[in-house]
Amino acid sequence: MDNLNINWFPGHMTKALRMMRANLKLVDVVIELLDARIPYSSANPVMNELLEGKPRVVALNKADLADPEWTKKWIKHFSTQGHQVVALDAMTGSGTKALVSQVEQLGYQKATKLVSKGVNARAVRAMILGIPNVGKSSLINNLNGVNVARVADKPGVTRGKQWIKIGRNLELLDTPGVLWPKFEDVEVGFRLAITGAIKEDIYDLEKVAVRMLTLLSEQYPERLIERYNLTAPLPEDPTEILELIGKRRGCLRSGGIIDYEKARRLILKEFRDTKLGRFTLDRPGEIRVLVDTEK
Ligand SMILES: Nc1nc2c(ncn2[C@@H]2O[C@H](COP(=O)(O)OP(=O)(O)OP(=O)(O)O)[C@@H](O)[C@H]2O)c(=O)[nH]1
Ligand SMILES: [Mg+2]
């Protein structure tokens, strides 16, 4: 995981920040898009600084892939910290109505102030900020109703600038702000890789698969047991779990030797495809620094 930051520091980051600061001046409200499975790990380390008190709605996207019980807890967590928060599925549009209404309410306060100063009433303006692959383009497409922004399953594909009108009261900047994640935190790197937010060619598949099995056997052992027909308790050593899964699934090379590489790819794919159910890897209250206290 050592070289995760090669694409981002420092040139790319400085340029991205400059553009984002300029765009931020144009909007009343920011939609901070997070991955509901990893709300901590998918947050940007300098978000608070960047926003300088600008109102934001925290949107927990890919909620369809996350554990609903933990999504509830995350919503409570963010609410307790004084944020507006909504769970989303940008693919089906579930949660987008609530999102639009929260953004409008927050922005309305600013618009009213302007009107009291004699400025003509105008629509609320908003933009989306989030790390690569969190679903920014999908959300824009969904809000717009047609596929204007390009969506891809590879991180890093959005370019170009325009406003998209959503209903009568909201305008959304069609260019989202792409932020970098907390690369310096190794555990964050793992969780980004496990959930598919990082390109496969820059992480070590073996380490990521091992970390994933460790996390799953701690957080959701029964899912592993059920899916791969294993027996409880699971072995402590994740490599042994991988071996068992490999055997069950016939990930074998000639001579009956386990094909570990194949087994690693299989479990990561099945995890991301929710074949093992819906998962939340980050939990509020974990010992690491929490999103909003981060400087
Ligand atoms: N299941 C599910 N998948 C989603 C959701 N939102 C986005 N995706 C998928 O996540 C991947 C990334 O989505 P994008 O909308 O391209 O993400 P992005 O933030 O624009 O990514 P960059 O442009 O690379 O910064 C795509 O494969 C989408 O289909 C969601 O709510 N649920
Ligand atoms: Mg995009």
Side-chain angles (χ1 to χ4, degrees):
M1 304 295 287
D2 300 341
N3 58 353
L4 275 181
N5 48 10
I6 44 167
N7 295 326
W8 285 93
F9 293 102
H12 195 159
M13 179 174 124
T14 318
K15 192 174 164 226
L17 261 181
R18 208 185 314 123
M19 274 179 55
M20 237 158 322
R21 286 219 161 86
N23 285 340
L24 273 171
K25 291 205 174 89
L26 308 173
V27 302
D28 309 307
V29 181
V30 161
I31 298 165
E32 181 185 18
L33 208 56
L34 301 177
D35 185 321
R37 297 168 295 174
I38 46 169
Y40 170 82
S41 303
S42 58
N44 175 265
V46 299
M47 182 62 90
N48 289 345
E49 233 173 279
L50 194 66
L51 294 190
E52 289 171 350
K54 195 177 282 285
R56 95 178 87 164
V57 177
V58 175
L60 300 173
N61 193 38
K62 307 197 185 184
D64 56 308
L65 307 178
D67 184 333
E69 289 305 311
W70 284 100
T71 299
K72 271 190 217 149
K73 290 179 187 162
W74 273 109
I75 288 175
K76 202 168 160 207
H77 169 83
F78 285 113
S79 307
T80 308
Q81 297 193 327
H83 292 305
Q84 299 291 319
V85 51
V86 57
L88 277 186
D89 171 353
M91 303 309 289
T92 63
S94 158
T96 50
K97 268 200 183 144
L99 173 70
V100 168
S101 114
Q102 290 194 11
V103 170
E104 281 179 353
Q105 272 174 38
L106 279 178
Y108 180 69
Q109 294 161 10
K110 182 168 170 186
T112 317
K113 253 188 230 160
L114 288 173
V115 171
S116 70
K117 285 183 193 162
V119 179
N120 283 342
R122 61 158 173 80
V124 169
R125 290 180 191 146
M127 75 178 287
I128 297 170
L129 291 183
I131 65 166
N133 213 45
V134 74
K136 300 176 296 298
S137 301
S138 305
L139 178 59
I140 291 174
N141 289 345
N142 196 286
L143 288 171
N144 196 44
V146 282
N147 277 5
V148 280
R150 228 178 110 216
V151 187
D153 56 4
K154 295 253 161 105
V157 292
T158 307
R159 289 178 195 113
K161 172 156 122 186
Q162 265 181 352
W163 295 92
I164 295 164
K165 265 198 96 65
I166 296 155
R168 287 176 52 190
N169 303 317
L170 183 61
E171 287 169 6
L172 182 71
L173 194 61
D174 98 331
T175 316
V178 186
L179 295 164
W180 63 98
K182 302 179 185 79
F183 283 124
E184 65 286 354
D185 184 330
V186 176
E187 182 57 23
V188 164
F190 275 125
R191 293 178 188 203
L192 290 168
I194 292 169
T195 54
I198 295 177
K199 285 180 193 150
E200 242 186 64
D201 47 352
I202 60 168
Y203 64 74
D204 180 333
L205 178 69
E206 180 175 353
K207 287 186 187 158
V208 168
V210 162
R211 185 66 196 127
M212 176 186 148
L213 280 173
T214 308
L215 270 174
L216 295 194
S217 54
E218 282 165 16
Q219 299 179 332
Y220 298 92
E222 69 289 349
R223 307 264 193 95
L224 281 173
I225 290 165
E226 194 183 322
R227 174 82 189 165
Y228 301 111
N229 208 0
L230 307 174
T231 40
L234 290 170
E236 297 245 320
D237 179 359
T239 309
E240 274 178 50
I241 305 177
L242 187 68
E243 200 177 313
L244 291 173
I245 294 173
K247 269 188 204 149
R248 282 271 182 269
R249 287 312 185 84
C251 301
L252 301 171
R253 291 188 307 183
S254 58
I257 306 159
I258 302 280
D259 186 341
Y260 285 101
E261 169 97 7
K262 195 171 169 190
R264 287 179 196 120
R265 287 191 192 285
L266 177 118
I267 54 158
L268 272 170
K269 181 162 187 341
E270 296 208 342
F271 169 82
R272 291 173 189 155
D273 292 346
T274 61
K275 291 273 165 39
L276 289 111
R278 295 162 67 176
F279 287 99
T280 301
L281 301 180
D282 287 357
R283 279 118 189 243
E286 272 182 298
I287 296 159
R288 295 167 301 124
V289 188
L290 291 173
V291 187
D292 293 290
T293 53
E294 183 83 4
K295 277 270 137 52

